[in-house]
Amino acid sequence: MNTSSFLYPDITLRAPEPEDIDFMFACENDTELWKSGINTGPYSRYQLKKYIAENQNDLYEDKQLRLMIELQTKETVGIIDLFSFSTRHLRAEIGIVISKNYRRKNIASAALSLLETHCFATLGLHQLYAYICKENIPCMQLFKKNGYNVSCILSDWYYIGAKYHDVCLVQKINPSIK
């Protein structure tokens, strides 16, 4: 995928490599991140190695797409995922995680923009969406900044820390399809 010009002008999204297993392992097993998603348990290095080996990295084939976020220096600083892909409705859910040292530096915004371009222009998707805890202000700001609209608020949607939390469903419709 082409790079984009943001604060970090040379961000690249690329397929996972075996060398990414430790990075993926750290992200997937960070229990702080579980609060923002649906993980209920850890992943093993074996599972991640198998995922990399068997995945075609084709959204239509695998019904998901994982891309590593890499700086020009070749340092991997995050992961952006598409999942819950519907071939009938041409929509997919987005997940994104950025290493703590690189947060709030427009990397997530640049990666999201690159992913949108790929999804809308190349893959022909109709829409992208994400579920975001209402209290996750930085994430809400990221998606709003990138043109996502809050479609609804789902009451008591996530159970985190012994209580239920409201979740916002944010969506972006492919601008070339409207």
Side-chain angles (χ1 to χ4, degrees):
M1 262 178 234
N2 293 334
T3 57
S4 180
S5 58
F6 287 84
L7 181 61
Y8 286 88
D10 292 309
I11 292 172
T12 302
L13 302 181
R14 61 164 178 80
E17 299 285 349
E19 296 79 23
D20 294 316
I21 288 176
D22 287 338
F23 186 87
M24 290 170 61
F25 183 82
C27 290
E28 294 289 1
N29 294 310
D30 182 345
T31 55
E32 280 298 308
L33 296 175
W34 290 1
K35 295 175 185 176
S36 301
I38 57 172
N39 279 21
T40 58
Y43 282 86
S44 69
R45 283 185 173 79
Y46 171 77
Q47 288 169 308
L48 296 171
K49 187 176 186 177
K50 188 175 175 183
Y51 170 82
I52 291 171
E54 294 177 0
N55 195 287
Q56 302 300 310
N57 230 42
D58 179 333
L59 182 62
Y60 284 89
E61 181 76 23
D62 302 320
K63 307 295 185 255
Q64 64 180 27
L65 178 66
R66 169 164 281 188
L67 298 167
M68 308 306 290
I69 303 168
E70 187 175 79
L71 300 179
Q72 183 180 22
T73 60
K74 302 297 180 195
E75 182 179 3
T76 302
V77 296
I79 301 171
I80 193 163
D81 289 307
L82 290 175
F83 52 98
S84 300
F85 174 57
S86 169
T87 54
R88 179 175 180 207
H89 303 292
L90 294 176
R91 67 177 174 237
E93 186 174 348
I94 298 175
I96 187 166
V97 63
I98 303 294
S99 297
K100 286 180 184 174
N101 295 343
Y102 289 94
R103 291 181 188 158
R104 299 194 175 140
K105 297 180 190 242
N106 286 331
I107 293 172
S109 184
L112 189 54
S113 179
L114 285 171
L115 182 69
E116 289 168 8
T117 299
H118 181 65
C119 290
F120 292 153
T122 305
L123 300 176
L125 296 189
H126 176 67
Q127 75 175 278
L128 298 171
Y129 66 94
Y131 294 98
I132 304 168
C133 264
K134 198 173 175 182
E135 298 94 7
N136 190 343
I137 303 302
C139 193
M140 288 296 298
Q141 290 172 338
L142 165 69
F143 279 88
K144 284 182 179 180
K145 173 183 167 185
N146 280 277
Y148 287 74
N149 296 310
V150 176
S151 297
C152 67
I153 297 173
L154 303 165
S155 299
D156 291 350
W157 198 254
Y158 283 164
Y159 186 72
I160 304 167
K163 72 177 197 170
Y164 285 93
H165 297 264
D166 294 349
V167 167
C168 296
L169 171 61
V170 298
Q171 297 173 285
K172 186 171 190 176
I173 307 297
N174 185 339
S176 67
I177 291 178
K178 278 190 159 184

